[in-house]
Amino acid sequence: MAGALILLASCKKTFTERGTLDGATLTNFYNNAEEVRSGTSTLYGLPWAGYENRAMDGIGDVMAGTEISGGSDDPPFSNFTMTSTSVRIADAWKSLYKINGWAGALIKAFEDKKAAGGGASYLDPALGECHFIKGTAFFYIGRAWGAAPIIEDPGAIALSGNLNIPRYYEKDVIRYALEELKKAEATLPETDPQPGRLTKYSAKAMMAKLYLYRKDYDSAKMKAGEVIAYANSTGKIALMADYASMFNTSATNNHIEALFSTQHPNTGNPWGSGNQLQPDRGPGNLQTSEANMWELYRPSLWILSQYESGDIRRKGSVMEHGWSKAEWKPKNANTVYNSFMANGYKYDTLQPTADGGQKNDVRANIAKYVVGPGASFGGEPVIGMNTGKNTSHLRYADVLLIYAEAVLAGGASTSDVAALAAFNKVRVRAGLPSKSSITANDIFHERIVEFAFEGDAWFDIKRQGYTNAKAIIATQNRGWIGNPVNAANNFTQANLYLPIPIGEVIQDPELAKPPVAYY
């Protein structure tokens, strides 16, 4: 496939990594839709691995207080002592700039191919995919680090030899991301015959999320409204009826609610890589000879306290005493364990742990992205750390809540009919009663429980501003049973943004200097 033709040239700066395209590629490849789409398929998988594998948990959820973690790499995110030497921060930085490099290389190749007479009918939609991926990567960079380098053409920078790239103001990074998403919106198709491919409404939805981040409520409302109108008129986008099924099986990959997911099929694997979230989240009593489980990340006591009575998202997100899955029948060398699990997997905090019980420090495990013990044990194929479950980065539920918040626009409350309709669709799907009026706290609460363990919670807290964020953190128990922990005293305004990895600063001293204007 075309991805094999894209060779990563490791430049001195990791954020200038680029794909090197030889003459044979442009002359003899990208001559039809199949070849072009095989090239863009690489953007949906492998380059995201460094971000998805632990960095997303550490930054998006441990930092938010929705997860707790052991080891040495993640606890600093819980108590706000992370530094520029953090492995997680370095992995996220490298991954997001690598994504930019791959997308930038393909953009250059496709534009050159068009100039040489290549067909716009298949090159323009592919360019839209690249611009979406690039825009999303820079949106993630801007909201995480604030001021950061903007790399328009990684290849040109590498060839120039001028690798001292400054930081640009956060507002410029976010503006650059928006411009890329606008290009995606302009060229992506309304629908695509291949499930999982980006569409025009993926771009509109991500734009709505970006507009909300920068508090451009009118634009966020407009873009989210366009997605909602399309969903209502066509039925091609909707909430999944079964919340849990979006996360506990790859059978629902590219479901009707998914607007952008990274692709992780176990077999054939045209996209790039397996999903490695399961081993870090799955309970130890579910480990088998096929499936690794070491529960590095667990739900925090705070997030467990946030679920309302009757909220079905709790069972879809968290395993607790009484949680079960009849079709999963794990086995090991312990006959008592095998007897205990004979009629299906049980999460039980009373049974001795050696005999199938599960009793960690919060008496709970994360259920999202845990797809089971493997094909030989009643589940789906699992290869050690790897599952075939896609990772959701943008769902229709997000669009609905974005619309409601954009209508509220920082006000005290709203009873706007359209805002309530959007908000209550998410509530009703969760098995909860509708509301007749909503506040900013209502929307924040809904977002926290809806997207728990999906890498977004920290950015929802951060969007509240430093004072409100600190107040939220002050309410959180970030410890475990018998050892409550409050991290509010450690939280400073500087913690709203991540430090740039020290390795990057050493290689590029410009990154240690104040940011400058890009525009």
Side-chain angles (χ1 to χ4, degrees):
M1 73 180 183
L5 299 172
I6 301 174
L7 307 175
L8 283 182
S10 181
C11 305
K12 185 178 179 182
K13 307 296 181 289
T14 57
F15 59 78
T16 61
E17 286 187 356
R18 65 188 178 97
T20 299
L21 299 158
D22 61 23
T25 300
L26 291 180
T27 302
N28 302 322
F29 215 76
Y30 303 139
N31 293 315
N32 54 53
E34 182 181 1
E35 292 176 352
V36 168
R37 285 161 71 85
S38 70
T40 57
S41 71
T42 62
L43 297 175
Y44 292 81
L46 186 59
W48 290 88
Y51 179 73
E52 286 185 8
N53 298 343
R54 302 186 176 176
M56 188 174 73
D57 278 284
I59 297 166
D61 281 288
V62 176
M63 201 168 171
T66 53
E67 293 179 5
I68 65 170
S69 180
S72 59
D73 295 318
D74 297 292
F77 289 93
S78 184
N79 58 30
F80 300 105
T81 60
M82 60 280 187
T83 69
S84 61
T85 62
S86 165
V87 172
R88 302 285 184 259
I89 292 173
D91 285 348
W93 175 279
K94 291 174 183 176
S95 178
L96 292 171
Y97 276 105
K98 180 178 287 185
I99 291 164
N100 168 58
W102 285 32
L106 285 170
I107 289 170
K108 181 67 166 60
F110 296 159
E111 287 177 343
D112 287 350
K113 192 70 179 183
K114 276 187 68 177
S121 63
Y122 55 85
L123 287 167
D124 282 347
L127 282 164
E129 290 179 286
C130 296
H131 286 301
F132 177 97
I133 295 294
K134 193 172 185 181
T136 298
F138 272 107
F139 175 35
Y140 283 17
I141 289 166
R143 69 179 187 170
W145 283 276
I150 295 173
I151 311 299
E152 172 67 27
D153 185 343
I157 289 174
L159 291 172
S160 74
N162 178 20
L163 302 177
N164 292 319
I165 311 300
R167 292 189 302 146
Y168 297 103
Y169 293 118
E170 178 190 9
K171 64 183 179 65
D172 289 351
V173 178
I174 298 298
R175 176 179 167 183
Y176 182 81
L178 177 60
E179 290 175 352
E180 289 295 303
L181 291 172
K182 286 180 176 179
K183 293 175 184 176
E185 181 190 30
T187 56
L188 282 168
E190 284 201 353
T191 61
D192 194 290
Q194 183 179 9
R197 290 278 179 178
L198 294 163
T199 70
K200 191 177 299 293
Y201 291 94
S202 304
K204 291 177 185 292
M206 190 62 78
M207 288 167 68
K209 193 174 181 74
L210 184 152
Y211 281 130
L212 188 71
Y213 176 80
R214 69 178 195 179
K215 294 183 169 56
D216 182 349
Y217 297 118
D218 287 343
S219 297
K221 177 184 174 182
M222 179 179 68
K223 285 302 167 187
E226 289 174 6
V227 180
I228 292 169
Y230 177 79
N232 290 341
S233 65
T234 67
K236 293 180 178 179
I237 300 171
L239 293 179
M240 281 281 283
D242 182 353
Y243 181 84
S245 71
M246 291 190 288
F247 307 102
N248 64 19
T249 173
S250 62
T252 60
N253 280 350
N254 305 317
H255 50 75
I256 197 168
E257 187 169 334
L259 289 163
F260 169 48
S261 303
T262 44
Q263 307 287 314
H264 299 295
N266 263 337
T267 57
N269 207 358
W271 306 91
S273 64
N275 187 322
Q276 296 187 356
L277 294 176
Q278 168 160 297
D280 284 339
R281 296 162 175 233
N285 72 336
L286 188 55
Q287 175 155 322
T288 66
S289 58
E290 292 182 10
N292 295 329
M293 309 269 183
W294 44 65
E295 51 190 292
L296 176 63
Y297 300 108
R298 286 95 65 205
S300 71
L301 294 175
W302 178 73
I303 190 61
L304 293 176
S305 74
Q306 297 302 295
Y307 290 100
E308 298 171 58
S309 176
D311 191 334
I312 64 173
R313 290 173 296 197
R314 182 169 189 145
K315 186 175 181 182
S317 304
V318 177
M319 297 183 193
E320 298 172 279
H321 182 77
W323 196 97
S324 63
K325 195 84 167 171
E327 59 267 38
W328 295 353
K329 297 183 179 180
K331 294 181 181 180
N332 62 29
N334 185 326
T335 56
V336 177
Y337 173 99
N338 294 339
S339 176
F340 183 70
M341 298 291 185
N343 294 318
Y345 175 73
K346 302 176 187 177
Y347 193 104
D348 192 295
T349 60
L350 302 178
Q351 175 83 348
T353 54
D355 297 331
Q358 177 68 13
K359 190 176 180 179
N360 63 24
D361 49 10
V362 292
R363 310 296 190 269
N365 282 87
I366 298 171
K368 283 185 177 178
Y369 296 106
V370 177
V371 302
S376 299
F377 306 98
E380 60 187 65
V382 176
I383 306 171
M385 298 188 297
N386 297 281
T387 78
K389 182 63 197 163
N390 290 351
T391 304
S392 292
H393 288 267
L394 187 62
R395 298 192 278 114
Y396 185 51
D398 204 349
V399 175
L400 293 169
L401 295 178
I402 287 169
Y403 184 85
E405 187 172 346
V407 171
L408 185 63
S413 66
T414 184
S415 299
D416 178 89
V417 173
L420 288 173
F423 178 86
N424 285 325
K425 280 183 180 180
V426 178
R427 294 269 300 172
V428 169
R429 195 260 298 271
L432 298 174
S434 299
K435 290 181 178 286
S436 57
S437 177
I438 52 176
T439 66
N441 285 338
D442 290 329
I443 296 171
F444 174 76
H445 165 81
E446 213 61 44
R447 291 191 63 87
I448 286 293
V449 294
E450 175 71 26
F451 305 113
F453 323 126
E454 296 183 49
D456 219 36
W458 168 246
F459 301 105
D460 280 325
I461 291 176
K462 174 186 169 177
R463 285 195 301 110
Q464 310 307 310
Y466 173 67
T467 300
N468 290 337
K470 186 158 188 168
I472 293 166
I473 292 165
T475 70
Q476 297 177 330
N477 181 356
R478 293 181 172 224
W480 50 94
I481 293 172
N483 185 45
V485 173
N486 190 297
N489 288 338
N490 286 354
F491 181 63
T492 68
Q493 195 146 4
N495 295 135
L496 289 174
Y497 296 100
L498 299 176
I500 292 177
I502 187 62
E504 301 294 329
V505 177
I506 290 172
Q507 294 180 84
D508 179 4
E510 292 294 314
L511 299 177
K513 297 178 182 179
V516 298
Y518 183 77
Y519 294 97

